[in-house]
Amino acid sequence: MDTDQVRGKWDATKGACPTRQVLGRIGDTWTMLVISTLEKNATLRSGQLKSTIEGITQKMLTQTLRNLERDGVVRRTVVATVPVTVSYTLTPLGLSLAAAVATMRTWAYDHMDEIAAARDEYDANS
């Protein structure tokens, strides 16, 4: 059965559908890595996330966390200490998304050899 028909008013193939923005956000590499890291570690501070996710810049981490907080996927907790302590954790909505992210990550791990071979063949024929 077509999931777009089941969902009724949502159709991601339409330009004005707000689900496009959501799909773009959750399909982003940094989003997937932040969600995976928080799922594995429960609660982390920004610096811990940055040191765990190789290659992410502070700007991208901040932007990704703000977007995920806005979407209700991540909860930001501020503790009045000196200096202020800010930590991030997945919300119930975020935990449900983490399950889908884990499925996609597992698929990538399971098929990486096939993908690498296909790339090599493509590059050799190009």
Side-chain angles (χ1 to χ4, degrees):
M1 179 178 255
D2 184 357
T3 57
D4 287 336
Q5 290 176 356
V6 172
R7 300 295 180 212
K9 64 182 177 177
W10 308 120
D11 183 351
T13 64
K14 305 299 181 198
C17 185
T19 60
R20 279 193 177 194
Q21 185 181 42
V22 173
L23 291 171
R25 173 123 45 251
I26 64 176
D28 175 71
T29 300
W30 299 124
T31 294
M32 296 186 106
L33 293 173
V34 166
I35 289 169
S36 294
T37 303
L38 287 173
E39 178 189 30
K40 187 187 305 182
N41 296 285
T43 300
L44 291 173
R45 294 171 58 183
S46 178
Q48 293 170 310
L49 280 164
K50 188 172 183 309
S51 66
T52 303
I53 303 170
E54 291 183 12
I56 194 167
T57 63
Q58 187 61 51
K59 178 182 176 182
M60 281 309 304
L61 178 59
T62 300
Q63 182 179 346
T64 300
L65 288 167
R66 283 184 184 157
N67 288 333
L68 291 173
E69 183 182 9
R70 180 173 184 247
D71 290 344
V73 173
V74 168
R75 180 180 308 107
R76 179 178 184 261
T77 304
V78 179
V79 179
T81 57
V82 179
V84 173
T85 303
V86 180
S87 60
Y88 298 90
T89 192
L90 293 175
T91 64
L93 182 63
L95 289 169
S96 71
L97 178 56
V101 169
T103 299
M104 293 180 359
R105 185 179 58 245
T106 299
W107 182 91
Y109 291 162
D110 290 347
H111 297 283
M112 199 59 234
D113 291 336
E114 294 169 74
I115 293 167
R119 289 176 177 175
D120 290 344
E121 182 180 340
Y122 180 90
D123 292 345
N125 293 327
S126 293

